[in-house]
Amino acid sequence: MQEITVTRTTHPKSKPDQSALGFGKYYTDHMLLMDYTAGIGWHEPRIVPFADLELHPAAVVLHYGTEIFEGLKAYRRPDGRVQLFRPMENVRRMNNSARRMALPTMDEELGLECLRKFVEVEQDWVPSAPGTSLYLRPFMIATGADLALHGIREARYVLIASPVASYFPDGLKPVKIMVEDEDVRAVRGGTGEAKCGGNYAASTRAGDRAEAKGYSQVLWLDGVERKYVEEVGSMNIMFKIAGRVVTPKLTGSILPGITRKSAIELLTSQGVPVDERLISVDELRQACEDGTLEEAWGIGTAAIISPVGALAFGDREYTIHGGEIGPFSQKLYDDLSGIQWGRKPDPFGWTFPVDQPAGAPDCQK
Ligand code: COI
């Protein structure tokens, strides 16, 4: 495997107050860069002082949006060690996104070692206050200067990190979500299941409209029939309807969330089946009407478990579980976050200590 070189900053920043981290406001001292050139492949992985990126004004990403990203977190365990949660899942999903966007894929072991080594260098930045973590944002951009549309010949992988608290300012306090019936996020065969910037850019208008009406985010419907529920702005979605846990199945236009997958595996192991199926907006509205929608929660890396306290269909708003977090979502949060932060045993082999030597076996799940 290629050696990742390290050039340490001579001007380390002071660490932010852990009680006021927010999400994505502060960045660590370093970043990891690696370049791709057609015919050569990925080369020069290097950890360098955090700085602005320099791009040619004709760089493909600036014109055609050829960009993909990932999100994962490094957690401070009670014993002080630092661990990642299923990082190989992120490496593999990034390769899947790269295939969809015609960007270069990366050797899985190299991708994993970039994450591990970077966190090892930045480990003092992993906060320890309850609910805080170091959010890692690997991304890849097409850097070649070329206004003609054809294959990607040059790309750059960048990894940055931000110490964070809850994604939503009120933590586990339930959020209000609005069903979006005008814009669509993705269609099958499009880029919906890739984690690419364009999906999120196309979502901004609806998100802004929702915020103006007092909602945190929108619940997307499928892009063809506008009939089936897909995901929320920054996370997947799950419901407990008449005693059963249901979540939209991965149809090709939904992000295959790693936290979603982990929750399904965790619940199944506890004897709680999760139905992955099409859920129509009519079924959801009916469940709100007749009171069988017991709980709803968003689920994702940044948001972890985010209870939904109200769901709006047009002008009609329904309160879920009295607008409070329900016992099921609370237990799922406790169990999942317990494993992520090392407070609970990890029977699945999902956690990955950063002081593990390169090449040590990661969970392959
Ligand atoms: C994540 O949960 O890691 C994401 O990438 C969602 C993003 C909108 C913060």
Side-chain angles (χ1 to χ4, degrees):
M1 196 195 308
Q2 302 179 56
E3 194 203 340
I4 303 171
T5 61
V6 181
T7 307
R8 288 188 185 267
T9 180
T10 49
H11 296 90
K13 302 172 205 163
S14 51
K15 309 272 188 307
D17 176 356
Q18 290 197 22
S19 65
L21 290 177
F23 190 91
K25 285 200 296 187
Y26 303 99
Y27 294 89
T28 64
D29 283 324
H30 301 92
M31 59 187 183
L32 187 149
L33 303 176
M34 178 162 46
D35 295 307
Y36 171 86
T37 311
I40 299 175
W42 286 105
H43 53 94
E44 287 172 71
R46 54 201 185 276
I47 296 172
V48 295
F50 191 92
D52 289 349
L53 296 177
E54 214 171 81
L55 283 178
H56 191 289
V60 172
V61 63
L62 299 178
H63 301 270
Y64 306 123
T66 312
E67 188 265 1
I68 58 174
F69 69 97
E70 274 299 321
L72 70 160
K73 287 173 172 171
Y75 304 86
R76 175 84 57 195
R77 296 164 46 94
D79 63 8
R81 289 176 74 196
V82 172
Q83 66 188 21
L84 297 169
F85 182 73
R86 310 190 81 175
M88 190 56 114
E89 291 285 337
N90 294 90
V91 172
R92 291 181 180 149
R93 188 171 63 181
M94 193 162 192
N95 273 343
N96 285 338
S97 299
R99 280 186 271 273
R100 177 62 186 87
M101 301 300 286
L103 279 161
T105 57
M106 187 179 298
D107 172 73
E108 288 183 354
E109 289 305 322
L110 176 61
L112 185 63
E113 181 57 6
C114 285
L115 298 172
R116 191 203 67 79
K117 179 140 186 165
F118 182 67
V119 176
E120 192 175 54
V121 168
E122 297 294 58
Q123 58 183 289
D124 289 351
W125 281 88
V126 182
S128 56
T132 64
S133 56
L134 184 67
Y135 183 75
L136 306 178
R137 173 53 65 86
F139 62 101
M140 194 191 296
I141 51 178
T143 47
D146 195 348
L147 294 182
L149 272 178
H150 48 66
I152 302 304
R153 301 193 53 79
E154 285 170 52
R156 176 167 278 191
Y157 170 92
V158 187
L159 171 55
I160 56 173
S162 172
V164 298
S166 300
Y167 183 74
F168 294 107
D170 292 332
L172 266 184
K173 191 164 174 286
V175 292
K176 291 167 68 166
I177 302 287
M178 194 186 101
V179 174
E180 171 62 32
D181 53 12
E182 198 173 324
D183 291 352
V184 296
R185 173 188 170 275
V187 292
R188 283 173 219 174
T191 58
E193 68 180 352
K195 204 159 171 63
C196 65
N199 290 342
Y200 296 81
S203 307
T204 308
R205 180 171 77 167
D208 285 353
R209 280 195 302 241
E211 268 185 34
K213 290 184 180 167
Y215 295 91
S216 296
Q217 294 194 351
V218 301
L219 177 58
W220 293 107
L221 302 182
D222 76 276
V224 178
E225 296 179 77
R226 302 188 189 207
K227 181 173 173 192
Y228 298 106
V229 171
E230 298 223 307
E231 64 181 75
V232 184
S234 64
M235 52 198 179
N236 294 116
I237 183 92
M238 291 186 167
F239 306 99
K240 187 156 171 271
I241 302 178
R244 286 195 75 88
V245 181
V246 294
T247 192
K249 75 172 186 181
L250 302 177
T251 52
S253 53
I254 296 177
L255 183 82
I258 295 163
T259 318
R260 171 191 181 279
K261 176 178 171 171
S262 304
I264 293 171
E265 291 172 7
L266 181 65
L267 290 169
T268 305
S269 79
Q270 295 171 341
V272 180
V274 179
D275 299 338
E276 292 179 78
R277 61 171 174 84
L278 294 176
I279 303 165
S280 75
V281 69
D282 292 341
E283 174 189 349
L284 193 59
R285 190 175 184 148
Q286 187 57 46
C288 288
E289 281 284 342
D290 61 26
T292 52
L293 179 58
E294 295 161 20
E295 293 186 37
W297 60 94
I299 182 160
T301 299
I304 318 175
I305 302 290
S306 182
V308 178
L311 200 49
F313 301 76
D315 292 336
R316 179 74 166 93
E317 183 182 298
Y318 296 88
T319 300
I320 305 169
H321 203 271
E324 300 295 329
I325 184 168
F328 194 87
S329 333
Q330 180 71 60
K331 179 171 181 334
L332 183 58
Y333 173 82
D334 292 344
D335 290 348
L336 205 52
S337 66
I339 295 175
Q340 290 173 325
W341 269 275
R343 292 188 303 265
K344 289 196 172 194
D346 169 19
F348 306 98
W350 286 342
T351 49
F352 183 87
V354 298
D355 49 13
Q356 178 161 309
D362 176 35
C363 54
Q364 299 299 311
K365 300 197 173 96

